Amino acid sequence: MRIRFVALLILCCLISGCSVEKQSEDSTHSILYDFQEPTSFPFEVNDVRTEIAIDNVDTLHQFVFHYKNKQTTQEIKYVLSKVIDESETASYVKGMKPLEVINGKQTYYEEDDSSQSIWWENEKGFVARYVYYINGSQEPLGMNTLTESELIELVKQVQ
């Protein structure tokens, strides 16, 4: 009977929020977002995971979706970043190749030996990007590059 009482007491404490840290009274930025994810990829995806990187809720919100083929080590990261109370648009356009306008948003393309990326502004104030690479970006893409149209199709799925 005592075990049930103690369990009930702990449960009540958890439900009432006793174990939750008090949020800063200055913090007014919600981290609740609803993002659309891609459903079709230019390679078979057999490993999916998500990261939420919020070191300071009042400064930067970043969400990273990983789509990977374990056998070929091909991976696409879908990254959404938002610097709170600042526009991040100027930081990624310089030196990037403009591509297609999708739903009124200009996309930008960048490529090097080991990765390809496409960037655009998300309607929720986020800078969004897909980054494609192989083996953790440790080896050149070589013949495994994606076409610009394949990257554009990924963008269209989430806009």
Side-chain angles (χ1 to χ4, degrees):
M1 190 65 149
R2 286 185 182 179
I3 293 174
R4 286 185 182 169
F5 177 73
V6 171
L8 181 62
L9 184 61
I10 291 171
L11 182 62
C12 288
C13 185
L14 289 174
I15 291 172
S16 68
C18 293
S19 65
V20 176
E21 289 182 32
K22 184 179 177 187
Q23 285 188 350
S24 166
E25 292 179 21
D26 300 347
S27 179
T28 59
H29 301 287
S30 172
I31 61 169
L32 297 176
Y33 299 100
D34 185 24
F35 298 115
Q36 195 168 5
E37 291 186 64
T39 57
S40 178
F41 298 90
F43 57 87
E44 181 183 343
V45 171
N46 54 22
D47 183 33
V48 177
R49 63 187 171 89
T50 304
E51 295 174 51
I52 300 173
I54 300 177
D55 295 330
N56 183 333
V57 72
D58 296 321
T59 307
L60 174 69
H61 296 183
Q62 185 163 280
F63 301 84
V64 184
F65 302 88
H66 298 264
Y67 308 98
K68 183 176 183 176
N69 182 301
K70 290 181 181 180
Q71 291 74 30
T72 65
T73 70
Q74 291 174 286
E75 185 169 350
I76 291 178
K77 280 194 312 190
Y78 174 35
V79 183
L80 295 132
S81 304
K82 182 176 187 177
V83 176
I84 305 304
D85 297 331
E86 271 188 40
S87 172
E88 195 176 334
T89 57
S91 66
Y92 70 89
V93 173
K94 191 174 183 177
M96 293 184 148
K97 174 185 171 184
L99 278 183
E100 190 173 317
V101 176
I102 301 170
N103 292 336
K105 301 290 183 178
Q106 178 70 56
T107 61
Y108 298 91
Y109 177 77
E110 185 175 49
E111 179 180 336
D112 61 32
D113 288 340
S114 60
S115 68
Q116 294 174 279
S117 60
I118 187 166
W119 300 62
W120 71 98
E121 288 181 60
N122 179 290
E123 71 276 354
K124 295 177 179 101
F126 282 81
V127 172
R129 65 191 174 274
Y130 283 114
V131 182
Y132 168 71
Y133 52 88
I134 297 174
N135 195 23
S137 200
Q138 298 298 313
E139 57 187 73
L141 292 175
M143 299 300 293
N144 294 310
T145 59
L146 299 179
T147 64
E148 291 176 6
S149 63
E150 288 173 317
L151 291 167
I152 291 290
E153 286 306 313
L154 286 167
V155 174
K156 288 179 179 178
Q157 291 181 53
V158 297
Q159 283 295 308

